[in-house]
Amino acid sequence: MTPELVIFDCDGVLVDSEALSVAALLGMISAAGGSVSEDTAYELFLGKSMKSVREILASDFAIDITDSHLTNMRVELMRKFREELKPIPGIREILPRLGVACCVASSGTLDRIRYALDVTGLLGLLEPHLFSAAMVARGKPAPDLFLHAAAAMGAHPGNCIVVEDSPAGISAARAAGMRVFAFTGGSHAGNPALKARLASSEPDFIFADMLQLPDLIAG
Ligand SMILES: [Mg+2]
């Protein structure tokens, strides 16, 4: 059944940003005097908003992230994005020929989403249909953001397909009553702990080549 709407996560699905983001996050944690392993960062923080990440660091690790830590990290991440961020291979080719309405629903701020899509040449293919976790009460894994995006785009949740790379995002899509395809083609997706958690979050389909998406959606 052809969907009414395809909802794309941004980081790790449209842009290959997760390795850069996790590196910047670990840098910020160390600047705050803390320490978290890369595996733990992927396990606990992937796909979540900075608000959630900050809360988890405070409650589970007693690491206090100040506003200036956060500002420094954002500046550093924007520099990394400008210099190193690449679109996911194949996404630029397939977006214009999906033949279905598309939008973006990301845990990032709207500024960060726009910036990431702009430096990778994807912004013109997706704006103005950009939705940020800042627009809803609860971020992923709650369903709020996907439900908000579907309502704003005039689509029934049952007729939406979500493309996600994180367990939090897959849970959010399922909680929203949407079909969800897990994408494992990002450069971070080889992380073994992440792979295992992704499979156990039970997406409808797992794929690693973005060029397959038009057939998956049609099929
Ligand atoms: Mg993601």
Side-chain angles (χ1 to χ4, degrees):
M1 182 186 66
T2 308
E4 280 180 86
L5 175 68
V6 179
I7 303 177
F8 288 93
D9 174 44
C10 183
D11 296 291
V13 170
L14 297 173
V15 300
D16 201 0
S17 55
E18 290 297 9
L20 301 177
S21 298
V22 167
L25 181 65
L26 293 178
M28 178 183 73
I29 290 170
S30 133
S35 170
V36 168
S37 75
E38 190 175 292
D39 276 359
T40 302
Y42 277 116
E43 187 183 340
L44 295 182
F45 305 136
L46 196 69
K48 295 187 183 161
S49 67
M50 271 315 300
K51 182 167 164 263
S52 304
V53 170
R54 205 175 183 178
E55 284 165 7
I56 295 167
L57 285 171
S59 64
D60 296 8
F61 297 89
I63 296 171
D64 181 31
I65 300 296
T66 64
D67 288 345
S68 84
H69 290 136
L70 214 55
T71 304
N72 291 342
M73 187 200 67
R74 289 201 164 119
V75 169
E76 168 65 8
L77 191 60
M78 292 306 109
R79 187 189 63 76
K80 278 180 190 275
F81 275 12
R82 199 167 56 240
E83 292 173 358
E84 301 176 41
L85 188 62
K86 297 279 182 290
I88 291 292
I91 191 71
R92 260 201 300 240
E93 291 76 4
I94 62 134
L95 274 178
R97 59 181 179 86
L98 278 184
V100 177
C102 295
C103 69
V104 181
S106 165
S107 296
T109 61
L110 205 51
D111 280 354
R112 186 179 176 296
I113 300 168
R114 291 183 61 86
Y115 193 82
L117 296 178
D118 192 23
V119 296
T120 51
L122 297 172
L123 187 59
L125 295 169
L126 291 156
E127 70 179 354
H129 307 306
L130 311 178
F131 302 95
S132 158
M135 298 171 174
V136 294
R138 301 173 301 168
K140 304 171 189 179
D144 303 27
L145 178 58
F146 290 140
L147 292 173
H148 171 72
M153 296 291 290
H156 186 273
N159 292 333
C160 295
I161 290 178
V162 173
V163 186
E164 258 292 349
D165 70 315
S166 74
I170 292 168
S171 300
R174 297 184 66 87
M178 298 176 179
R179 282 181 287 164
V180 56
F181 295 168
F183 178 69
T184 58
S187 58
H188 65 294
N191 181 285
L194 173 61
K195 259 188 170 157
R197 288 193 65 238
L198 210 60
S200 70
S201 61
E202 298 184 353
D204 294 284
F205 204 84
I206 299 180
F207 73 113
D209 179 358
M210 196 50 86
L211 292 172
Q212 289 185 311
L213 189 64
D215 286 342
L216 293 178
I217 286 172

